[in-house]
Amino acid sequence: MISILIPTYNFNTLPLVEELHKQVVLENIDFEIIVCDDASPINEITAVNSKINQLSNCRFERNETNLGRGQNRNLLVSKAQYEWVLLMDCDMYPKSKNFIKIYLKSLLKKDKKAIFGGLIYFDEKPKDDEVLRWIFGKNREEIPLKKRLSNPYHYTLISNILIQREILLAHPFDSEIYHYGYEDIVLILDLKKHHIPITHIENPAFHLNLEKSAVFLEKFHYSLQNLKQIIDKKIIHPEDTTLTKTYVKIEQLKLVGFATFLFKIFKKTFTKNLLSKNPSIFLFDLYRLGYFCQLNHR
C-alpha cells in the first residue's frame, strides 16, 4: 500500500527508519522502506545505515555515482512498488507516534493526490554557530496549517509528503537540475500547472540537521546559482518565486547595478550578522537578493 522513500547522503538514517518501521508495522499494511545513499563516502555512517537491511521490508542501497538530489528521488520512485509514496528527507523525524496512522487516515477521504504534513523545528535555540539555519527554518519552513491552507502550492515542501506514485512517475524531478537548490519548487510548480491538488494536514516532522551557519550560507550561494540557471533555461518563470519576483522589479527600474554595488559594500556587515548568534532574517533576505543581483549583473 505504501512505499516510504528516503534519499540520503552521509547521514545516519537508521533512527528515522526504525521509528517509521515501528509505526507502519503496527498498522498491519503492505509496505516497504527504501533508503538510497547518493554515493557518499563509505565510512562508519554507511555501516550504520546498512543495518536498515535487517528490518523487515526495508533496504538500504548506495549509488555508485552521485545522481543529485532530484535524480536520486526519481530512482527511488522507479523502485517503489506501492500506490502511495511517502517522500521524507533523511534528516527528518516524525513529531507524532501516530505519524503513519494520521497519513493513512487522511487517505480515507476520496480524491486525494498529494498530502503534505508540514515541517517544524525544535523551540530550543541551537548552538551559536548553527542559529542561521534554525532561524530560517522557523521563519520560512515551519508554517502553521491555517497559513499553509491559504496557499497550498507555495507552502509545500517535499521533505514530508505523501503522494501517488503514478503522479511522481508522470511528473518526475527535472533531470536538468543536478546541483543543490530549488528542485522541489520546480516539482511543486509542475503539479500546480497540471492542476494536481495538494492537501495540507497537521502531521509535521522535525527537521533535525542544523548545519553550521557558514555552511548554510555557502549552500545558499549554490542554490541561488542554481536558481539563475533554472530561470535562464526557462524551467520556471521569474514570477514563480518571491526573490526573483522582487529581482524583476529591480531590473525594470534599471537598478541591478546599483543593488550589486550596495551588496558589495555591505556584504561583510551582512555576513558578520548572519554568522552571529543573533542573525536577522531580514538581513538574510537582503543578502540573498543582493547576491542574486550580483549573479545577474553584467
Side-chain angles (χ1 to χ4, degrees):
M1 178 183 181
I2 184 172
S3 297
I4 301 174
L5 308 180
I6 307 171
T8 190
Y9 184 87
N10 201 34
F11 191 85
N12 181 3
T13 316
L14 181 60
L16 170 61
V17 174
E18 288 178 329
E19 177 61 27
L20 293 173
H21 181 264
K22 185 190 308 179
Q23 290 195 25
V24 78
V25 165
L26 288 175
E27 298 306 315
N28 195 29
I29 60 170
D30 293 330
F31 76 94
E32 63 181 349
I33 302 177
I34 311 174
V35 179
C36 190
D37 182 289
D38 200 17
S40 64
I42 297 178
N43 52 27
E44 62 276 5
I45 293 178
T46 312
V48 171
N49 283 337
S50 296
K51 295 179 182 178
I52 291 170
N53 293 312
Q54 299 172 13
L55 299 170
S56 61
N57 301 331
C58 297
R59 65 183 193 266
F60 171 73
E61 301 178 353
R62 180 179 175 277
N63 299 332
E64 291 299 320
T65 57
N66 185 273
L67 301 180
R69 289 152 57 95
Q71 289 305 301
N72 194 26
R73 289 187 176 94
N74 286 340
L75 177 63
L76 279 163
V77 173
S78 72
K79 294 174 180 289
Q81 62 175 314
Y82 294 117
E83 174 188 2
W84 285 95
V85 163
L86 175 58
L87 278 178
M88 291 197 73
D89 283 352
C90 60
D91 55 358
M92 306 296 289
Y93 198 84
K95 177 185 178 183
S96 171
K97 293 297 182 182
N98 293 316
F99 180 76
I100 295 296
K101 183 187 291 290
I102 292 169
Y103 265 133
L104 294 178
K105 186 178 179 180
S106 68
L107 295 180
L108 296 178
K109 298 177 182 178
K110 296 182 179 180
D111 301 323
K112 293 291 183 292
K113 302 293 183 182
I115 305 166
F116 177 56
L119 185 151
I120 55 175
Y121 287 75
F122 290 107
D123 290 330
E124 182 181 355
K125 196 173 183 179
K127 299 175 184 176
D128 289 351
D129 60 354
E130 296 177 346
V131 178
L132 181 60
R133 181 69 183 92
W134 180 74
I135 287 286
F136 180 81
K138 276 285 190 183
N139 284 272
R140 297 297 151 77
E141 295 177 338
E142 184 179 310
I143 308 298
L145 178 60
K146 184 176 180 180
K147 188 173 182 180
R148 287 194 274 126
L149 289 171
S150 70
N151 196 341
Y153 295 102
H154 181 72
Y155 292 118
T156 296
L157 299 170
I158 48 85
S159 48
N160 173 27
I161 188 169
L162 184 65
I163 186 168
Q164 288 183 343
R165 178 176 178 266
E166 64 179 26
I167 290 175
L168 288 174
L169 290 174
H171 304 275
F173 289 90
D174 197 301
S175 60
E176 291 189 55
I177 303 174
Y178 174 79
H179 298 291
Y180 172 83
Y182 291 93
E183 73 284 346
D184 52 347
I185 290 178
V186 173
L187 174 71
I188 298 304
L189 288 172
D190 191 38
L191 299 184
K192 180 180 180 180
K193 177 182 176 181
H194 289 87
H195 307 290
I196 297 170
I198 299 176
T199 302
H200 284 249
I201 64 171
E202 189 65 42
N203 194 25
F206 284 107
H207 184 275
L208 302 179
N209 186 27
L210 294 178
E211 302 150 311
K212 303 290 186 184
S213 296
V215 173
F216 182 61
L217 188 60
E218 186 64 23
K219 286 179 72 173
F220 246 106
H221 290 164
Y222 293 130
S223 72
L224 292 175
Q225 292 165 22
N226 207 32
L227 176 60
K228 182 182 184 306
Q229 293 177 6
I230 292 169
I231 296 289
D232 290 345
K233 291 180 180 179
K234 301 187 184 332
I235 295 175
I236 65 174
H237 192 273
E239 294 292 318
D240 287 330
T241 77
T242 302
L243 185 146
T244 50
K245 189 184 297 185
T246 304
Y247 169 78
V248 168
K249 293 178 181 177
I250 294 174
E251 187 179 43
Q252 289 171 344
L253 294 170
K254 302 187 185 302
L255 293 175
V256 174
F258 181 63
T260 300
F261 172 72
L262 290 178
F263 174 70
K264 289 179 179 179
I265 290 177
F266 291 104
K267 183 178 180 181
K268 287 185 178 180
T269 302
F270 286 167
T271 302
K272 183 178 181 180
N273 171 269
L274 298 178
L275 301 185
S276 73
K277 62 181 180 181
N278 292 303
S280 163
I281 192 69
F282 173 70
L283 290 184
F284 189 41
D285 287 341
L286 287 181
Y287 183 99
R288 292 188 296 141
L289 180 60
Y291 184 78
F292 194 73
C293 286
Q294 180 177 273
L295 288 175
N296 287 274
H297 181 55
R298 296 176 178 83

